[in-house]
Amino acid sequence: MMTPEEMAKKVGAGLLSFPVTHFNDQLDFETKPYQEHIAWLLSHQPAGLFVAGGTGEFFSLTPTEFSAVVRAGVVQTAQQVPVIAGCGYGTAMAKELAQAAEQAGADGILLLPPYLVGAEQSGLAAHVEAVCASTKLGVIMYNRDNAVLDDVTLAGLCDRCPNLVGFKDGVGDIERMTRIYARMGDRLTYIGGLPTAETFALPYLEMGVTTYSSAIFNFLPKFALQFYAAVRKRDHATVFAGLREFVLPYIQIRNRRKGYAVSIVKAGMKAIGRPAGPVRPPLTDLSEAELEDLTKLIAGRS
């Protein structure tokens, strides 16, 4: 098992991918094509994999399915890169899922927001601390939606939770992010986590966010890696060409319907001839017309 510090160092060193979860037409998890997809992703050398995360439809998985998805990812990855498992819901369930991920062989936890409720900083801190205490795995806090920590709360958690080693930002508040990095420095590994993270990658790099998780990696890994390399080189011309020619038109399709941040990734898989099945309700798949638009956009890039 990787130490939390080893996991954090590895994921901060390159581009991250979070694979979709494969379902058949009856919406059952399909292990073989899922593992085949992970093998294909690994051939393009991501720095780490987020399994059963948001793009992996974590919210739709039963606890039994969650363990199966994590285990399948761990077995296929065979310690080539860190495997970080999604984790969330209320504190008691999040602790159980963290422990299930550890038992399944994961190298870390991506702690998603607790279910639905809004909470004060003290309550959020108690939630994160309880999950960290429940596992030996390194924990990456996903700051977004109803679980947004400030720099003071995060600093206290870092003092109390040695296995809290990562911070993934899904808010886009530049001042908050600047305060967090100024206070914590290299105590944490920082990951970009806004939808279609490529859009924010260049400005976030200046705030110490060395990596991000790319949904596009699922179906255009070469483009995703080339774009990331341009970001790290601060090659503005190449980055903005990629934004204009692909990322921003892709976002226009994504923004047509609620939930398409996940659905469009599976549509991209279908467009390149590597289908992963439908999304589970309450998400909806792209329409045929939208899939056609996406397929035209992808053409020649896969």
Side-chain angles (χ1 to χ4, degrees):
M1 182 186 296
M2 291 182 194
T3 67
E5 293 76 18
E6 288 171 338
M7 181 274 289
K9 184 176 181 180
K10 286 178 180 291
V11 300
L15 185 61
L16 307 171
S17 177
F18 43 124
V20 297
T21 300
H22 290 60
F23 301 128
N24 61 23
D25 289 342
Q26 290 71 48
L27 300 179
D28 300 316
F29 171 53
E30 291 202 302
T31 303
K32 184 178 178 181
Y34 176 69
Q35 291 184 310
E36 289 172 348
H37 179 53
I38 287 179
W40 185 64
L41 295 177
L42 289 171
S43 72
H44 293 89
Q45 300 181 319
L49 295 177
F50 287 110
V51 299
T55 298
E57 298 180 70
F58 164 80
F59 50 84
S60 79
L61 301 174
T62 67
T64 300
E65 289 174 327
F66 170 80
S67 293
V69 170
V70 176
R71 171 61 67 184
V74 167
V75 169
Q76 186 62 45
T77 303
Q79 299 183 325
Q80 294 178 60
V81 299
V83 174
I84 299 97
C87 179
Y89 300 113
T91 305
M93 186 176 290
K95 289 165 59 178
E96 290 185 0
L97 290 171
Q99 292 162 0
E102 184 174 340
Q103 292 166 6
D107 300 296
I109 293 296
L110 177 65
L111 183 54
L112 300 161
Y115 174 73
L116 195 60
V117 296
E120 294 295 325
Q121 291 290 294
S122 59
L124 291 172
H127 172 74
V128 175
E129 189 170 359
V131 175
C132 287
S134 73
T135 179
K136 296 177 182 177
L137 298 180
V139 176
I140 299 169
M141 170 64 192
Y142 199 171
N143 222 46
R144 60 175 293 175
D145 298 320
N146 60 313
V148 178
L149 302 180
D150 60 31
D151 57 309
V152 176
T153 302
L154 188 59
L157 284 165
C158 286
D159 288 340
R160 300 190 300 275
C161 306
N163 62 330
L164 178 60
V165 292
F167 180 83
K168 185 175 183 181
D169 183 66
V171 178
D173 183 331
I174 293 175
E175 180 181 335
R176 183 186 298 267
M177 192 65 224
T178 300
R179 287 179 179 276
I180 286 170
Y181 187 79
R183 184 181 288 267
M184 252 69 66
D186 59 7
R187 166 63 178 80
L188 297 168
T189 291
Y190 302 92
I191 301 168
L194 288 152
T196 313
E198 283 81 0
T199 315
F200 305 89
L202 200 56
Y204 261 47
L205 182 62
E206 303 303 326
M207 293 186 290
V209 182
T210 59
T211 186
Y212 53 88
S213 50
S214 172
I216 293 171
F217 202 124
N218 272 282
F219 56 91
L220 287 180
K222 291 180 181 178
F223 170 84
L225 287 164
Q226 289 167 357
F227 188 96
Y228 176 73
V231 168
R232 292 304 301 266
K233 293 176 183 176
R234 293 175 171 81
D235 180 352
H236 287 225
T238 299
V239 169
F240 279 95
L243 291 172
R244 285 193 305 270
E245 296 167 11
F246 181 77
V247 177
L248 295 177
Y250 170 85
I251 289 172
Q252 287 182 333
I253 300 172
R254 184 203 71 192
N255 288 346
R256 291 179 189 176
R257 300 284 188 278
K258 293 179 180 179
Y260 269 14
V262 175
S263 304
I264 196 171
V265 183
K266 280 198 166 176
M269 299 278 293
K270 187 174 183 179
I272 65 165
R274 304 181 68 90
V279 293
R280 279 180 169 175
L283 297 180
T284 56
D285 291 300
L286 271 64
S287 69
E288 288 300 321
E290 290 164 339
L291 176 59
E292 184 178 350
D293 289 344
L294 180 62
T295 302
K296 290 177 181 177
L297 182 62
I298 290 172
R301 295 183 177 273
S302 58

